[in-house]
Amino acid sequence: MHAALLVTLTARAGQAEPPITVRESDDYVEVETDALRARINKRGYVSGIAAGSLLDKKTGARDAGFGLHIMDFLLGPGWKDDGYSRDPKLHGNLPRHYVEGPQVCTQAKRLTPEVVRGKGFVAVRLRYRFTQAAPGLKAGSLWEQTLVFQPGLRYVLSGERITSVNALDNVCYRIDMPGHIRHKDGDRFAQVYLSYRGKIPASAFAKDFGPDGKFLY
């Protein structure tokens, strides 16, 4: 991250950095660079970048999903009778059970973004403390997300950290990655790229399958 930032600034030596504009309303924070524009919701469907709001100015393209890096809840390995869905089309045969919730994107209702301005970047930080825990566990783990915008870059850096109040092994969390695309038989995209698999044509997604059914998607 620091190396990429150094290169960007060096390439513009002697020139003024393109401005990064931040607009705020009661409902969202909007960040705009010379390359991108995106919104981070304060209330409603929260966490990550709001659905359809990420605009790539070079191509005019927008994300075609439910949002980018959207947060759900904490999970542990193995099935338990706790209501976590075992529908293979949703979660596949990947045994998990609830650890802490609720689902941030739909149940947190309101977040208070913190805007951080620095030399050559603007960051937006989000935080949420879980309020519901599985039997025998404590609630109160802290989720934090930082979204970093830089001039000239057609992507956003996104990082997350969870500070757990429970001592547990192999805890994971469920998120909506960019692959959570709104489509019918692959009609809204040409391909999906997975770093561990390469390019996958839209036709491969014409029929529903679980995440462990193909591509570990």
Side-chain angles (χ1 to χ4, degrees):
M1 175 178 171
H2 294 291
L5 179 58
L6 179 61
V7 170
T8 300
L9 294 179
T10 301
R12 300 176 184 275
Q15 303 178 23
E17 281 291 315
I20 303 177
T21 303
V22 179
R23 306 178 186 90
E24 290 199 50
S25 74
D26 291 340
D27 296 322
Y28 60 81
V29 172
E30 184 175 77
V31 181
E32 183 170 2
T33 72
D34 58 329
L36 296 175
R37 184 167 67 237
R39 288 184 177 182
I40 296 92
N41 284 338
K42 293 182 177 181
R43 58 188 179 186
Y45 197 86
V46 293
S47 75
I49 295 175
S53 74
L54 182 68
L55 170 67
D56 175 13
K57 293 183 176 181
K58 182 175 182 179
T59 64
R62 293 181 180 271
D63 69 280
F66 292 79
L68 301 173
H69 223 173
I70 304 298
M71 177 64 188
D72 285 348
F73 37 74
L74 299 184
L75 296 167
W79 294 123
K80 290 187 177 181
D81 292 328
D82 60 2
Y84 186 66
S85 173
R86 301 189 188 189
D87 183 341
K89 291 289 182 67
L90 294 178
H91 305 139
N93 186 26
L94 300 170
R96 295 287 185 269
H97 63 269
Y98 288 113
V99 170
E100 278 186 272
Q103 186 177 43
V104 175
C105 61
T106 61
Q107 301 302 315
K109 303 301 183 184
R110 187 173 185 91
L111 299 177
T112 305
E114 174 191 2
V115 178
V116 180
R117 295 179 179 271
K119 183 174 175 58
F121 76 91
V122 163
V124 180
R125 290 176 175 165
L126 301 168
R127 297 179 177 87
Y128 181 75
R129 197 172 291 278
F130 291 102
T131 60
Q132 301 171 4
L137 299 177
K138 296 182 292 184
S141 295
L142 178 65
W143 165 79
E144 300 172 277
Q145 182 180 63
T146 303
L147 304 162
V148 181
F149 298 82
Q150 297 170 258
L153 299 185
R154 296 168 62 202
Y155 56 84
V156 178
L157 300 176
S158 180
E160 297 185 285
R161 176 173 63 182
I162 294 173
T163 305
S164 177
V165 296
N166 298 288
L168 298 169
D169 294 326
N170 302 316
V171 174
C172 63
Y173 65 99
R174 204 179 86 155
I175 58 176
D176 293 349
M177 295 303 284
H180 198 188
I181 301 170
R182 296 176 185 267
H183 72 98
K184 182 177 181 180
D185 301 330
D187 61 345
R188 296 194 62 195
F189 62 99
Q191 63 189 19
V192 167
Y193 173 79
L194 300 177
S195 61
Y196 56 87
R197 187 83 184 209
K199 298 176 182 178
I200 305 170
S203 58
F205 300 89
K207 295 183 179 180
D208 293 340
F209 57 88
D212 55 343
K214 291 191 293 185
F215 318 127
L216 281 178
Y217 187 71

